[in-house]
Amino acid sequence: MNHSPSHDHVFLGQDHRRNERQVWWVIALTASMMVVEIIAGNLYGSMALVADGWHMSTHAGAMLITALAYGYARRQARNPRFTFGTGKLGELAGFASAIVLALIALIIGWDSLARLVDPVPIRFDEAIAIAVAGLLVNLVSAWLLKDDHGHAHGHGGHRPDHDRGHHGHDHDHDHDHGRAPAAGHGHPARVRDNNLRSAYVHVLADALTSVLAIAALLLGRSYGWLWADPAMGVVGALVIARWSWGLIRDSGTVLLDAAPQSGKMRRDIEQALDAGDGEIADLHVWQVGPGHYAAIVSLVTRHPRDSAFYKAKLAHIAGLSHLTVETQASP
């Protein structure tokens, strides 16, 4: 029995540290605006400002989950207790943050319906000014987060080989050590970081409520339509709830080790290993971090080869960061 050299399982996103740093900047901006709104609301007797300040605090708290998850995943990346590293911790944080976003949508919707039934006086000029200021803060925050939201990375690096044979099976472990894997045939691997995405969605949600609030307040000031403000609140709540559901669905799918939805990586593996002298008895593909995927392949073949042979056949597949190949000789 041959033992492979020691190796780690660092499957963090390529811009992990940058994302962490940017999220902290956004938290600082959001928290500062929150304090300004709460203080201004109390000084000028505006409950609308106080309420919006506390609303921003929920977004700041949710983004704090994002930042802390980045830090913990980075510090514990080489902890052997985590079998496949901490790359999926961001998915867990994104899932939790999406739940918070859903609760925010529920609160906004409930308050808006209550105000439709029982309208309250609105200090339009003051509310418009603070809504514009909040929108500016959200636009700056979105700019800080936008570079990596749904961004495609194509940076590769050396991928050391780790081979092991045991009881007639060949196993190959191929690692990227924390960098986004190189893309095959010159095409970059698509990277979706749901942890960063959760922070981005919170910023978008805040920006959306600001835009809708400005539109409603302008209508209310010009035409006396007090109902426009809560009506826009209901619309915003529905849109935010939709965003929340998409984030819950996508992050939850990764947490449950579901196969990539497109099935492209599975098809690429099947095509690469179709040598005509055997068949794939079992194949599992799942995500272990942003832009990182693992695969376990079981082959039944008349002419088993060593693991290096199969690794070479799969080396072109973008995003395949951890590979185990098991071969069995067919009768």
Side-chain angles (χ1 to χ4, degrees):
M1 179 172 58
N2 298 320
H3 296 276
S4 66
S6 176
H7 57 270
D8 56 36
H9 295 80
V10 181
F11 300 129
L12 304 181
Q14 178 183 342
D15 293 324
H16 188 94
R17 284 182 178 272
R18 176 195 176 279
N19 295 347
E20 180 182 354
R21 185 169 58 251
Q22 299 299 79
V23 171
W24 278 115
W25 276 110
V26 171
I27 291 173
L29 283 172
T30 304
S32 298
M33 189 65 196
M34 172 196 75
V35 171
V36 169
E37 285 190 342
I38 293 174
I39 293 176
N42 282 289
L43 287 176
Y44 301 124
S46 173
M47 287 307 299
L49 291 183
V50 175
D52 193 58
W54 287 113
H55 166 73
M56 290 192 75
S57 74
T58 60
H59 287 287
M63 285 186 284
L64 183 62
I65 296 174
T66 299
L68 293 177
Y70 273 127
Y72 186 83
R74 174 174 48 79
R75 292 190 301 271
Q76 300 294 323
R78 289 179 171 80
N79 188 332
R81 290 183 57 204
F82 298 100
T83 304
F84 282 96
T86 56
K88 290 204 301 185
L89 187 64
E91 306 295 333
L92 182 59
F95 187 89
S97 189
I99 297 297
V100 174
L101 194 67
L103 293 175
I104 290 172
L106 183 62
I107 293 171
I108 293 175
W110 178 262
D111 287 345
S112 298
L113 289 174
R115 290 197 177 191
L116 275 173
V117 175
D118 186 18
V120 298
I122 300 175
R123 299 170 65 173
F124 291 107
D125 292 337
E126 186 178 275
I128 290 172
I130 204 66
V132 170
L135 178 59
L136 292 176
V137 169
N138 290 318
L139 291 176
V140 173
S141 298
W143 176 77
L144 287 171
L145 298 175
K146 73 179 179 66
D147 285 347
D148 288 309
H149 179 64
H151 186 76
H153 298 286
H155 302 276
H158 173 63
R159 292 164 58 165
D161 306 332
H162 301 291
D163 304 331
R164 179 176 64 189
H166 180 56
H167 296 303
H169 307 300
D170 286 329
H171 301 274
D172 171 38
H173 300 277
D174 188 6
H175 305 279
D176 205 340
H177 294 275
R179 293 174 299 222
H185 302 302
H187 298 290
R190 187 78 174 171
V191 175
R192 167 172 281 186
D193 185 337
N194 280 323
N195 194 26
L196 186 69
R197 179 184 168 199
S198 67
Y200 192 77
V201 170
H202 275 280
V203 169
L204 287 184
D206 239 0
L208 174 67
T209 55
S210 295
V211 169
L212 293 177
I214 292 169
L217 290 168
L218 289 172
L219 290 173
R221 187 178 65 176
S222 300
Y223 302 104
W225 295 350
L226 291 180
W227 56 265
D229 184 69
M232 290 293 189
V234 172
V235 173
L238 293 174
V239 175
I240 294 170
R242 179 181 175 85
W243 290 344
S244 171
W245 167 245
L247 186 55
I248 289 172
R249 180 194 59 217
D250 292 345
S251 58
T253 297
V254 176
L255 290 172
L256 291 174
D257 290 335
Q261 189 171 13
S262 68
K264 182 180 184 303
M265 182 169 290
R266 184 184 182 93
R267 291 193 299 271
D268 288 345
I269 293 173
E270 290 173 340
Q271 292 172 5
L273 295 179
D274 184 13
D277 61 346
E279 63 180 6
I280 296 177
D282 198 14
L283 173 59
H284 299 275
V285 181
W286 71 100
Q287 184 174 329
V288 292
H292 295 277
Y293 293 86
I296 297 176
V297 188
S298 179
L299 288 170
V300 179
T301 176
R302 292 190 299 272
H303 307 290
R305 308 289 189 96
D306 61 21
S307 56
F309 172 81
Y310 300 106
K311 179 182 71 67
K313 291 177 72 69
L314 299 176
H316 69 282
I317 298 179
L320 187 55
S321 302
H322 188 285
L323 174 67
T324 300
V325 178
E326 176 184 271
T327 58
Q328 297 181 357
S330 60

